[in-house]
Amino acid sequence: DAIIDYFSMGYQCYKLTVNLRNLKYHMRKQIIEELRKSELIQVNIYLFSDWDLEIDMWVKDPQDFYNFYDKFIEKYSEYIAEISLKVSIAGTSEPRKATALNTFL
C-alpha cells in the first residue's frame, strides 16, 4: 500500500471534534453517512472519549472547509453541544489551533 502525503500536494487538514446532544440513533447514523460521502472527509467515531466525533477534512483552499463548516453547523446545530477546530499545516509536528474555536452551541 502506498502512503499519500497530502501536505506535499498542497493540502491542509482541518480537524473538527464534536460533542453531540439530543441525538437519536438514526440522526447520528445520518450525520455519519452524509460526512462519509465526501472523498475529502474522514470520520472517526469515539466510544470512550470526551468527544463523540472527529471530522478530518483535507482541502487546498481554506474557503472549501469554511463552506462545509457553515453548512454543517446550519444543518446540525441543534444536535451539537460543543465543537473544536484545529488546523494541521505541513512542516509542523503538532496541529495548530485555529483562532481558538472551541464553541458551545
Side-chain angles (χ1 to χ4, degrees), residues 34-65:
E34 183 176 322
L35 290 169
R36 286 189 171 158
K37 287 179 184 176
S38 172
E39 293 179 2
L40 297 176
I41 294 177
Q42 182 178 32
V43 181
N44 297 305
I45 300 131
Y46 295 128
L47 299 176
F48 301 105
S49 172
D50 292 337
W51 298 96
D52 295 317
L53 296 175
E54 177 184 296
I55 304 164
D56 298 338
M57 185 173 190
W58 292 90
V59 296
K60 285 189 175 184
D61 182 355
Q63 191 59 48
D64 292 338
F65 168 78

PDB file of all heavy atoms in Angstrom, residues 34-65:
ATOM      1  N   GLU A  34     -23.683  10.992   5.798  1.00  0.00           N
ATOM      2  CA  GLU A  34     -23.539  12.186   4.959  1.00  0.00           C
ATOM      3  C   GLU A  34     -22.074  12.624   4.889  1.00  0.00           C
ATOM      4  O   GLU A  34     -21.567  12.960   3.824  1.00  0.00           O
ATOM      5  CB  GLU A  34     -24.404  13.318   5.505  1.00  0.00           C
ATOM      6  CG  GLU A  34     -24.349  14.552   4.639  1.00  0.00           C
ATOM      7  CD  GLU A  34     -25.295  15.635   5.133  1.00  0.00           C
ATOM      8  OE1 GLU A  34     -26.396  15.314   5.591  1.00  0.00           O
ATOM      9  OE2 GLU A  34     -24.898  16.803   5.048  1.00  0.00           O
ATOM     10  N   LEU A  35     -21.381  12.607   6.022  1.00  0.00           N
ATOM     11  CA  LEU A  35     -19.975  13.003   6.046  1.00  0.00           C
ATOM     12  C   LEU A  35     -19.112  12.051   5.225  1.00  0.00           C
ATOM     13  O   LEU A  35     -18.182  12.476   4.535  1.00  0.00           O
ATOM     14  CB  LEU A  35     -19.470  13.054   7.489  1.00  0.00           C
ATOM     15  CG  LEU A  35     -20.038  14.186   8.345  1.00  0.00           C
ATOM     16  CD1 LEU A  35     -19.684  13.963   9.796  1.00  0.00           C
ATOM     17  CD2 LEU A  35     -19.560  15.541   7.857  1.00  0.00           C
ATOM     18  N   ARG A  36     -19.404  10.776   5.280  1.00  0.00           N
ATOM     19  CA  ARG A  36     -18.590   9.772   4.568  1.00  0.00           C
ATOM     20  C   ARG A  36     -18.775   9.812   3.056  1.00  0.00           C
ATOM     21  O   ARG A  36     -18.006   9.184   2.334  1.00  0.00           O
ATOM     22  CB  ARG A  36     -18.903   8.384   5.109  1.00  0.00           C
ATOM     23  CG  ARG A  36     -18.300   8.175   6.477  1.00  0.00           C
ATOM     24  CD  ARG A  36     -18.412   6.763   6.937  1.00  0.00           C
ATOM     25  NE  ARG A  36     -17.634   6.586   8.156  1.00  0.00           N
ATOM     26  CZ  ARG A  36     -17.844   5.630   9.016  1.00  0.00           C
ATOM     27  NH1 ARG A  36     -18.796   4.744   8.818  1.00  0.00           N
ATOM     28  NH2 ARG A  36     -17.091   5.534  10.095  1.00  0.00           N
ATOM     29  N   LYS A  37     -19.738  10.549   2.558  1.00  0.00           N
ATOM     30  CA  LYS A  37     -19.944  10.665   1.109  1.00  0.00           C
ATOM     31  C   LYS A  37     -18.831  11.468   0.439  1.00  0.00           C
ATOM     32  O   LYS A  37     -18.575  11.300  -0.737  1.00  0.00           O
ATOM     33  CB  LYS A  37     -21.299  11.313   0.808  1.00  0.00           C
ATOM     34  CG  LYS A  37     -22.470  10.403   1.075  1.00  0.00           C
ATOM     35  CD  LYS A  37     -23.771  11.103   0.773  1.00  0.00           C
ATOM     36  CE  LYS A  37     -24.957  10.226   1.137  1.00  0.00           C
ATOM     37  NZ  LYS A  37     -26.227  10.921   0.944  1.00  0.00           N
ATOM     38  N   SER A  38     -18.186  12.335   1.185  1.00  0.00           N
ATOM     39  CA  SER A  38     -17.134  13.173   0.625  1.00  0.00           C
ATOM     40  C   SER A  38     -15.794  12.436   0.669  1.00  0.00           C
ATOM     41  O   SER A  38     -15.418  11.868   1.697  1.00  0.00           O
ATOM     42  CB  SER A  38     -17.009  14.477   1.398  1.00  0.00           C
ATOM     43  OG  SER A  38     -15.868  15.193   0.960  1.00  0.00           O
ATOM     44  N   GLU A  39     -15.061  12.470  -0.447  1.00  0.00           N
ATOM     45  CA  GLU A  39     -13.734  11.853  -0.502  1.00  0.00           C
ATOM     46  C   GLU A  39     -12.705  12.634   0.317  1.00  0.00           C
ATOM     47  O   GLU A  39     -11.659  12.100   0.665  1.00  0.00           O
ATOM     48  CB  GLU A  39     -13.265  11.751  -1.946  1.00  0.00           C
ATOM     49  CG  GLU A  39     -14.082  10.792  -2.771  1.00  0.00           C
ATOM     50  CD  GLU A  39     -13.627  10.724  -4.218  1.00  0.00           C
ATOM     51  OE1 GLU A  39     -12.649  11.395  -4.582  1.00  0.00           O
ATOM     52  OE2 GLU A  39     -14.272   9.992  -4.977  1.00  0.00           O
ATOM     53  N   LEU A  40     -12.992  13.886   0.617  1.00  0.00           N
ATOM     54  CA  LEU A  40     -12.041  14.719   1.345  1.00  0.00           C
ATOM     55  C   LEU A  40     -12.230  14.656   2.857  1.00  0.00           C
ATOM     56  O   LEU A  40     -11.472  15.260   3.603  1.00  0.00           O
ATOM     57  CB  LEU A  40     -12.153  16.178   0.891  1.00  0.00           C
ATOM     58  CG  LEU A  40     -11.815  16.429  -0.574  1.00  0.00           C
ATOM     59  CD1 LEU A  40     -12.052  17.883  -0.925  1.00  0.00           C
ATOM     60  CD2 LEU A  40     -10.382  16.033  -0.881  1.00  0.00           C
ATOM     61  N   ILE A  41     -13.262  13.931   3.314  1.00  0.00           N
ATOM     62  CA  ILE A  41     -13.580  13.885   4.738  1.00  0.00           C
ATOM     63  C   ILE A  41     -13.353  12.478   5.277  1.00  0.00           C
ATOM     64  O   ILE A  41     -13.752  11.491   4.682  1.00  0.00           O
ATOM     65  CB  ILE A  41     -15.039  14.317   4.997  1.00  0.00           C
ATOM     66  CG1 ILE A  41     -15.216  15.785   4.637  1.00  0.00           C
ATOM     67  CG2 ILE A  41     -15.433  14.060   6.449  1.00  0.00           C
ATOM     68  CD1 ILE A  41     -16.631  16.292   4.789  1.00  0.00           C
ATOM     69  N   GLN A  42     -12.706  12.436   6.433  1.00  0.00           N
ATOM     70  CA  GLN A  42     -12.512  11.192   7.163  1.00  0.00           C
ATOM     71  C   GLN A  42     -13.207  11.367   8.510  1.00  0.00           C
ATOM     72  O   GLN A  42     -13.013  12.380   9.192  1.00  0.00           O
ATOM     73  CB  GLN A  42     -11.022  10.953   7.356  1.00  0.00           C
ATOM     74  CG  GLN A  42     -10.678   9.684   8.060  1.00  0.00           C
ATOM     75  CD  GLN A  42      -9.170   9.522   8.166  1.00  0.00           C
ATOM     76  OE1 GLN A  42      -8.437  10.511   8.268  1.00  0.00           O
ATOM     77  NE2 GLN A  42      -8.708   8.296   8.150  1.00  0.00           N
ATOM     78  N   VAL A  43     -14.041  10.395   8.898  1.00  0.00           N
ATOM     79  CA  VAL A  43     -14.807  10.494  10.140  1.00  0.00           C
ATOM     80  C   VAL A  43     -14.356   9.402  11.100  1.00  0.00           C
ATOM     81  O   VAL A  43     -14.257   8.240  10.730  1.00  0.00           O
ATOM     82  CB  VAL A  43     -16.320  10.332   9.881  1.00  0.00           C
ATOM     83  CG1 VAL A  43     -17.108  10.461  11.173  1.00  0.00           C
ATOM     84  CG2 VAL A  43     -16.807  11.323   8.858  1.00  0.00           C
ATOM     85  N   ASN A  44     -14.091   9.788  12.348  1.00  0.00           N
ATOM     86  CA  ASN A  44     -13.786   8.834  13.411  1.00  0.00           C
ATOM     87  C   ASN A  44     -14.882   8.962  14.462  1.00  0.00           C
ATOM     88  O   ASN A  44     -15.240  10.070  14.862  1.00  0.00           O
ATOM     89  CB  ASN A  44     -12.431   9.128  14.041  1.00  0.00           C
ATOM     90  CG  ASN A  44     -11.307   8.972  13.045  1.00  0.00           C
ATOM     91  OD1 ASN A  44     -11.171   7.924  12.440  1.00  0.00           O
ATOM     92  ND2 ASN A  44     -10.525  10.013  12.858  1.00  0.00           N
ATOM     93  N   ILE A  45     -15.382   7.819  14.904  1.00  0.00           N
ATOM     94  CA  ILE A  45     -16.423   7.799  15.928  1.00  0.00           C
ATOM     95  C   ILE A  45     -15.780   7.304  17.218  1.00  0.00           C
ATOM     96  O   ILE A  45     -15.153   6.245  17.232  1.00  0.00           O
ATOM     97  CB  ILE A  45     -17.575   6.866  15.519  1.00  0.00           C
ATOM     98  CG1 ILE A  45     -18.175   7.360  14.208  1.00  0.00           C
ATOM     99  CG2 ILE A  45     -18.642   6.797  16.588  1.00  0.00           C
ATOM    100  CD1 ILE A  45     -18.330   6.312  13.184  1.00  0.00           C
ATOM    101  N   TYR A  46     -15.924   8.079  18.286  1.00  0.00           N
ATOM    102  CA  TYR A  46     -15.313   7.727  19.559  1.00  0.00           C
ATOM    103  C   TYR A  46     -16.337   7.079  20.472  1.00  0.00           C
ATOM    104  O   TYR A  46     -17.457   7.571  20.605  1.00  0.00           O
ATOM    105  CB  TYR A  46     -14.749   8.966  20.245  1.00  0.00           C
ATOM    106  CG  TYR A  46     -13.615   9.611  19.497  1.00  0.00           C
ATOM    107  CD1 TYR A  46     -13.634  10.960  19.198  1.00  0.00           C
ATOM    108  CD2 TYR A  46     -12.512   8.866  19.103  1.00  0.00           C
ATOM    109  CE1 TYR A  46     -12.574  11.546  18.513  1.00  0.00           C
ATOM    110  CE2 TYR A  46     -11.455   9.452  18.425  1.00  0.00           C
ATOM    111  CZ  TYR A  46     -11.499  10.790  18.143  1.00  0.00           C
ATOM    112  OH  TYR A  46     -10.457  11.368  17.480  1.00  0.00           O
ATOM    113  N   LEU A  47     -15.921   6.015  21.117  1.00  0.00           N
ATOM    114  CA  LEU A  47     -16.799   5.354  22.085  1.00  0.00           C
ATOM    115  C   LEU A  47     -16.415   5.721  23.507  1.00  0.00           C
ATOM    116  O   LEU A  47     -17.286   5.938  24.340  1.00  0.00           O
ATOM    117  CB  LEU A  47     -16.744   3.831  21.895  1.00  0.00           C
ATOM    118  CG  LEU A  47     -17.200   3.330  20.526  1.00  0.00           C
ATOM    119  CD1 LEU A  47     -17.017   1.823  20.433  1.00  0.00           C
ATOM    120  CD2 LEU A  47     -18.644   3.714  20.269  1.00  0.00           C
ATOM    121  N   PHE A  48     -15.132   5.792  23.785  1.00  0.00           N
ATOM    122  CA  PHE A  48     -14.651   6.099  25.132  1.00  0.00           C
ATOM    123  C   PHE A  48     -13.761   7.336  25.070  1.00  0.00           C
ATOM    124  O   PHE A  48     -12.541   7.251  25.104  1.00  0.00           O
ATOM    125  CB  PHE A  48     -13.872   4.912  25.706  1.00  0.00           C
ATOM    126  CG  PHE A  48     -14.682   3.659  25.773  1.00  0.00           C
ATOM    127  CD1 PHE A  48     -14.479   2.633  24.870  1.00  0.00           C
ATOM    128  CD2 PHE A  48     -15.671   3.523  26.723  1.00  0.00           C
ATOM    129  CE1 PHE A  48     -15.237   1.477  24.923  1.00  0.00           C
ATOM    130  CE2 PHE A  48     -16.444   2.371  26.789  1.00  0.00           C
ATOM    131  CZ  PHE A  48     -16.223   1.342  25.884  1.00  0.00           C
ATOM    132  N   SER A  49     -14.377   8.484  24.968  1.00  0.00           N
ATOM    133  CA  SER A  49     -13.635   9.729  24.801  1.00  0.00           C
ATOM    134  C   SER A  49     -14.480  10.891  25.303  1.00  0.00           C
ATOM    135  O   SER A  49     -15.675  10.753  25.530  1.00  0.00           O
ATOM    136  CB  SER A  49     -13.310   9.932  23.315  1.00  0.00           C
ATOM    137  OG  SER A  49     -12.753  11.202  23.103  1.00  0.00           O
ATOM    138  N   ASP A  50     -13.850  12.042  25.439  1.00  0.00           N
ATOM    139  CA  ASP A  50     -14.587  13.258  25.781  1.00  0.00           C
ATOM    140  C   ASP A  50     -15.359  13.789  24.581  1.00  0.00           C
ATOM    141  O   ASP A  50     -16.186  14.670  24.720  1.00  0.00           O
ATOM    142  CB  ASP A  50     -13.627  14.343  26.281  1.00  0.00           C
ATOM    143  CG  ASP A  50     -13.009  13.969  27.618  1.00  0.00           C
ATOM    144  OD1 ASP A  50     -13.595  13.149  28.343  1.00  0.00           O
ATOM    145  OD2 ASP A  50     -11.920  14.490  27.925  1.00  0.00           O
ATOM    146  N   TRP A  51     -15.051  13.292  23.372  1.00  0.00           N
ATOM    147  CA  TRP A  51     -15.678  13.744  22.142  1.00  0.00           C
ATOM    148  C   TRP A  51     -16.437  12.595  21.491  1.00  0.00           C
ATOM    149  O   TRP A  51     -16.073  11.441  21.649  1.00  0.00           O
ATOM    150  CB  TRP A  51     -14.635  14.285  21.167  1.00  0.00           C
ATOM    151  CG  TRP A  51     -13.910  15.478  21.707  1.00  0.00           C
ATOM    152  CD1 TRP A  51     -12.711  15.486  22.352  1.00  0.00           C
ATOM    153  CD2 TRP A  51     -14.356  16.831  21.678  1.00  0.00           C
ATOM    154  NE1 TRP A  51     -12.384  16.770  22.714  1.00  0.00           N
ATOM    155  CE2 TRP A  51     -13.377  17.615  22.310  1.00  0.00           C
ATOM    156  CE3 TRP A  51     -15.482  17.468  21.163  1.00  0.00           C
ATOM    157  CZ2 TRP A  51     -13.479  18.987  22.455  1.00  0.00           C
ATOM    158  CZ3 TRP A  51     -15.582  18.839  21.306  1.00  0.00           C
ATOM    159  CH2 TRP A  51     -14.601  19.588  21.940  1.00  0.00           C
ATOM    160  N   ASP A  52     -17.467  12.919  20.716  1.00  0.00           N
ATOM    161  CA  ASP A  52     -18.252  11.900  20.017  1.00  0.00           C
ATOM    162  C   ASP A  52     -17.731  11.620  18.614  1.00  0.00           C
ATOM    163  O   ASP A  52     -17.705  10.474  18.186  1.00  0.00           O
ATOM    164  CB  ASP A  52     -19.726  12.331  19.911  1.00  0.00           C
ATOM    165  CG  ASP A  52     -20.399  12.416  21.261  1.00  0.00           C
ATOM    166  OD1 ASP A  52     -20.180  11.505  22.084  1.00  0.00           O
ATOM    167  OD2 ASP A  52     -21.136  13.384  21.494  1.00  0.00           O
ATOM    168  N   LEU A  53     -17.358  12.668  17.896  1.00  0.00           N
ATOM    169  CA  LEU A  53     -16.917  12.537  16.506  1.00  0.00           C
ATOM    170  C   LEU A  53     -15.659  13.351  16.273  1.00  0.00           C
ATOM    171  O   LEU A  53     -15.474  14.416  16.866  1.00  0.00           O
ATOM    172  CB  LEU A  53     -17.966  13.074  15.526  1.00  0.00           C
ATOM    173  CG  LEU A  53     -19.311  12.399  15.426  1.00  0.00           C
ATOM    174  CD1 LEU A  53     -20.212  13.196  14.477  1.00  0.00           C
ATOM    175  CD2 LEU A  53     -19.171  10.976  14.944  1.00  0.00           C
ATOM    176  N   GLU A  54     -14.827  12.857  15.365  1.00  0.00           N
ATOM    177  CA  GLU A  54     -13.729  13.657  14.831  1.00  0.00           C
ATOM    178  C   GLU A  54     -13.912  13.676  13.322  1.00  0.00           C
ATOM    179  O   GLU A  54     -14.067  12.637  12.693  1.00  0.00           O
ATOM    180  CB  GLU A  54     -12.386  13.032  15.169  1.00  0.00           C
ATOM    181  CG  GLU A  54     -11.217  13.793  14.569  1.00  0.00           C
ATOM    182  CD  GLU A  54      -9.895  13.105  14.837  1.00  0.00           C
ATOM    183  OE1 GLU A  54      -9.514  13.004  16.011  1.00  0.00           O
ATOM    184  OE2 GLU A  54      -9.285  12.650  13.858  1.00  0.00           O
ATOM    185  N   ILE A  55     -13.937  14.865  12.761  1.00  0.00           N
ATOM    186  CA  ILE A  55     -14.125  15.043  11.319  1.00  0.00           C
ATOM    187  C   ILE A  55     -12.852  15.689  10.779  1.00  0.00           C
ATOM    188  O   ILE A  55     -12.536  16.815  11.134  1.00  0.00           O
ATOM    189  CB  ILE A  55     -15.344  15.934  11.021  1.00  0.00           C
ATOM    190  CG1 ILE A  55     -16.603  15.370  11.663  1.00  0.00           C
ATOM    191  CG2 ILE A  55     -15.514  16.132   9.520  1.00  0.00           C
ATOM    192  CD1 ILE A  55     -17.759  16.353  11.743  1.00  0.00           C
ATOM    193  N   ASP A  56     -12.112  14.944   9.944  1.00  0.00           N
ATOM    194  CA  ASP A  56     -10.894  15.472   9.326  1.00  0.00           C
ATOM    195  C   ASP A  56     -11.208  15.775   7.874  1.00  0.00           C
ATOM    196  O   ASP A  56     -11.723  14.916   7.150  1.00  0.00           O
ATOM    197  CB  ASP A  56      -9.760  14.454   9.390  1.00  0.00           C
ATOM    198  CG  ASP A  56      -9.374  14.097  10.817  1.00  0.00           C
ATOM    199  OD1 ASP A  56      -9.663  14.886  11.722  1.00  0.00           O
ATOM    200  OD2 ASP A  56      -8.787  13.026  11.018  1.00  0.00           O
ATOM    201  N   MET A  57     -10.898  16.998   7.440  1.00  0.00           N
ATOM    202  CA  MET A  57     -11.161  17.394   6.058  1.00  0.00           C
ATOM    203  C   MET A  57      -9.885  17.948   5.452  1.00  0.00           C
ATOM    204  O   MET A  57      -9.270  18.858   5.999  1.00  0.00           O
ATOM    205  CB  MET A  57     -12.269  18.436   6.008  1.00  0.00           C
ATOM    206  CG  MET A  57     -12.677  18.813   4.613  1.00  0.00           C
ATOM    207  SD  MET A  57     -14.127  19.888   4.642  1.00  0.00           S
ATOM    208  CE  MET A  57     -14.521  19.910   2.912  1.00  0.00           C
ATOM    209  N   TRP A  58      -9.488  17.380   4.301  1.00  0.00           N
ATOM    210  CA  TRP A  58      -8.291  17.800   3.581  1.00  0.00           C
ATOM    211  C   TRP A  58      -8.687  18.735   2.445  1.00  0.00           C
ATOM    212  O   TRP A  58      -9.454  18.354   1.583  1.00  0.00           O
ATOM    213  CB  TRP A  58      -7.566  16.584   3.022  1.00  0.00           C
ATOM    214  CG  TRP A  58      -6.973  15.740   4.100  1.00  0.00           C
ATOM    215  CD1 TRP A  58      -7.573  14.697   4.752  1.00  0.00           C
ATOM    216  CD2 TRP A  58      -5.684  15.883   4.670  1.00  0.00           C
ATOM    217  NE1 TRP A  58      -6.724  14.183   5.687  1.00  0.00           N
ATOM    218  CE2 TRP A  58      -5.542  14.887   5.651  1.00  0.00           C
ATOM    219  CE3 TRP A  58      -4.613  16.753   4.447  1.00  0.00           C
ATOM    220  CZ2 TRP A  58      -4.396  14.742   6.415  1.00  0.00           C
ATOM    221  CZ3 TRP A  58      -3.471  16.596   5.197  1.00  0.00           C
ATOM    222  CH2 TRP A  58      -3.362  15.605   6.167  1.00  0.00           C
ATOM    223  N   VAL A  59      -8.167  19.961   2.480  1.00  0.00           N
ATOM    224  CA  VAL A  59      -8.509  20.949   1.453  1.00  0.00           C
ATOM    225  C   VAL A  59      -7.262  21.735   1.042  1.00  0.00           C
ATOM    226  O   VAL A  59      -6.331  21.895   1.818  1.00  0.00           O
ATOM    227  CB  VAL A  59      -9.596  21.940   1.939  1.00  0.00           C
ATOM    228  CG1 VAL A  59     -10.896  21.227   2.222  1.00  0.00           C
ATOM    229  CG2 VAL A  59      -9.138  22.712   3.157  1.00  0.00           C
ATOM    230  N   LYS A  60      -7.281  22.223  -0.200  1.00  0.00           N
ATOM    231  CA  LYS A  60      -6.229  23.125  -0.664  1.00  0.00           C
ATOM    232  C   LYS A  60      -6.620  24.570  -0.383  1.00  0.00           C
ATOM    233  O   LYS A  60      -5.777  25.394  -0.064  1.00  0.00           O
ATOM    234  CB  LYS A  60      -5.978  22.934  -2.163  1.00  0.00           C
ATOM    235  CG  LYS A  60      -5.211  21.681  -2.478  1.00  0.00           C
ATOM    236  CD  LYS A  60      -4.802  21.632  -3.930  1.00  0.00           C
ATOM    237  CE  LYS A  60      -3.940  20.413  -4.181  1.00  0.00           C
ATOM    238  NZ  LYS A  60      -3.433  20.370  -5.543  1.00  0.00           N
ATOM    239  N   ASP A  61      -7.887  24.862  -0.520  1.00  0.00           N
ATOM    240  CA  ASP A  61      -8.392  26.217  -0.309  1.00  0.00           C
ATOM    241  C   ASP A  61      -9.188  26.245   0.995  1.00  0.00           C
ATOM    242  O   ASP A  61     -10.215  25.563   1.112  1.00  0.00           O
ATOM    243  CB  ASP A  61      -9.286  26.620  -1.479  1.00  0.00           C
ATOM    244  CG  ASP A  61      -9.811  28.042  -1.376  1.00  0.00           C
ATOM    245  OD1 ASP A  61      -9.574  28.712  -0.345  1.00  0.00           O
ATOM    246  OD2 ASP A  61     -10.465  28.483  -2.336  1.00  0.00           O
ATOM    247  N   PRO A  62      -8.735  26.999   1.994  1.00  0.00           N
ATOM    248  CA  PRO A  62      -9.446  27.059   3.273  1.00  0.00           C
ATOM    249  C   PRO A  62     -10.931  27.409   3.130  1.00  0.00           C
ATOM    250  O   PRO A  62     -11.755  26.966   3.930  1.00  0.00           O
ATOM    251  CB  PRO A  62      -8.704  28.149   4.049  1.00  0.00           C
ATOM    252  CG  PRO A  62      -7.338  28.165   3.456  1.00  0.00           C
ATOM    253  CD  PRO A  62      -7.534  27.838   1.996  1.00  0.00           C
ATOM    254  N   GLN A  63     -11.280  28.149   2.096  1.00  0.00           N
ATOM    255  CA  GLN A  63     -12.686  28.523   1.902  1.00  0.00           C
ATOM    256  C   GLN A  63     -13.563  27.283   1.700  1.00  0.00           C
ATOM    257  O   GLN A  63     -14.726  27.279   2.101  1.00  0.00           O
ATOM    258  CB  GLN A  63     -12.845  29.485   0.728  1.00  0.00           C
ATOM    259  CG  GLN A  63     -14.222  30.108   0.640  1.00  0.00           C
ATOM    260  CD  GLN A  63     -14.588  30.889   1.902  1.00  0.00           C
ATOM    261  OE1 GLN A  63     -13.809  31.699   2.401  1.00  0.00           O
ATOM    262  NE2 GLN A  63     -15.765  30.645   2.443  1.00  0.00           N
ATOM    263  N   ASP A  64     -13.008  26.219   1.112  1.00  0.00           N
ATOM    264  CA  ASP A  64     -13.767  24.974   0.948  1.00  0.00           C
ATOM    265  C   ASP A  64     -14.172  24.406   2.303  1.00  0.00           C
ATOM    266  O   ASP A  64     -15.291  23.933   2.484  1.00  0.00           O
ATOM    267  CB  ASP A  64     -12.958  23.934   0.173  1.00  0.00           C
ATOM    268  CG  ASP A  64     -12.739  24.324  -1.276  1.00  0.00           C
ATOM    269  OD1 ASP A  64     -13.528  25.141  -1.807  1.00  0.00           O
ATOM    270  OD2 ASP A  64     -11.774  23.817  -1.877  1.00  0.00           O
ATOM    271  N   PHE A  65     -13.239  24.457   3.262  1.00  0.00           N
ATOM    272  CA  PHE A  65     -13.578  23.981   4.606  1.00  0.00           C
ATOM    273  C   PHE A  65     -14.654  24.861   5.230  1.00  0.00           C
ATOM    274  O   PHE A  65     -15.625  24.361   5.798  1.00  0.00           O
ATOM    275  CB  PHE A  65     -12.357  23.934   5.534  1.00  0.00           C
ATOM    276  CG  PHE A  65     -12.770  23.728   6.959  1.00  0.00           C
ATOM    277  CD1 PHE A  65     -13.135  22.456   7.395  1.00  0.00           C
ATOM    278  CD2 PHE A  65     -12.870  24.789   7.839  1.00  0.00           C
ATOM    279  CE1 PHE A  65     -13.574  22.263   8.694  1.00  0.00           C
ATOM    280  CE2 PHE A  65     -13.299  24.603   9.139  1.00  0.00           C
ATOM    281  CZ  PHE A  65     -13.651  23.338   9.566  1.00  0.00           C
TER     282      PHE A  65
END
